[in-house]
Amino acid sequence: MTATDPSLTALAQGWCALSLLHGRIEARIERALQAGHNLSAREYSLLDVLSRQHDGEGGHLQMKQVADAVVLSHSATTRLVTRLEDRGLLSRHLCPTDRRGIYTNVTKAGLELLEEARPTNNEALREAYEEAAGNPGLAPLVEVVASMRVPA
């Protein structure tokens, strides 16, 4: 393979399109959430992920699982959790069966903010996809994403 190999060029172009689509969607969501709720897209994502936890078997996420879910490093996730905890949106407590484990839960205020912000997030996401669908370079990606069904 050479640097001008068509398969590598196609991969690079596909990656550029995917990166562009992601960047546009994230920027639109970020602006909408900041303006309407003083919440970043990452903060919203963290609240959303943690709101889905439950007390049953496997219901609480370890910090590594949270970091993977919000696509951040462990240290960046810890800083994000601390910021939201300082705002009263999250709380932490020790795992009752493993004192080394720390669980993070969404507070009532965090759940209320999440529910207020959810329509804003969804509308910004819809608008970003509609705009991208009008771009010939991004439209195929939008179609693929729209056809995806994430398993429960």
Side-chain angles (χ1 to χ4, degrees), residues 6 30 50 68 75 98 106 109 119 142:
E30 183 78 24
L50 292 176
D68 289 346
S75 60
D98 180 359
V106 182
V142 172

Side-chain angles (χ1 to χ4, degrees), residues 2-152:
T2 66
T4 57
D5 184 293
S7 64
L8 289 178
T9 301
L11 283 174
Q13 289 172 339
W15 168 243
C16 286
L18 182 59
S19 181
L20 179 61
L21 178 62
H22 176 269
R24 287 183 177 184
I25 291 169
E26 188 171 49
R28 181 171 299 242
I29 291 172
E30 183 78 24
R31 284 190 308 271
L33 289 172
Q34 281 291 346
H37 308 281
N38 192 29
L39 199 60
S40 74
R42 296 272 186 190
E43 291 167 339
Y44 175 88
S45 180
L46 179 62
L47 289 172
D48 186 52
V49 165
L50 292 176
S51 75
R52 298 171 196 277
Q53 294 187 122
H54 55 84
D55 289 330
E57 183 69 28
H60 277 88
L61 301 174
Q62 297 174 347
M63 195 57 82
K64 182 188 180 329
Q65 294 170 303
V66 174
D68 289 346
V70 295
V71 193
L72 289 174
S73 68
H74 182 78
S75 60
T77 301
T78 299
R79 288 190 302 273
L80 183 59
V81 165
T82 300
R83 278 198 316 270
L84 292 177
E85 186 177 33
D86 290 347
R87 290 176 58 189
L89 303 173
L90 296 178
S91 65
R92 291 186 243 202
H93 65 276
L94 290 176
C95 170
T97 58
D98 180 359
R99 300 306 246 173
R100 296 169 296 170
I102 298 175
Y103 290 149
T104 303
N105 288 320
V106 182
T107 63
K108 183 176 185 231
L111 289 172
E112 288 171 359
L113 180 58
L114 178 63
E115 289 310 307
E116 290 171 13
R118 194 176 307 280
T120 302
N121 179 79
N122 293 345
E123 180 64 15
L125 182 60
R126 186 191 59 72
E127 289 171 355
Y129 275 120
E130 284 179 0
E131 181 181 304
N135 179 322
L138 299 178
L141 285 173
V142 172
E143 288 178 26
V144 168
V145 172
S147 71
M148 294 177 68
R149 298 289 179 256
V150 178

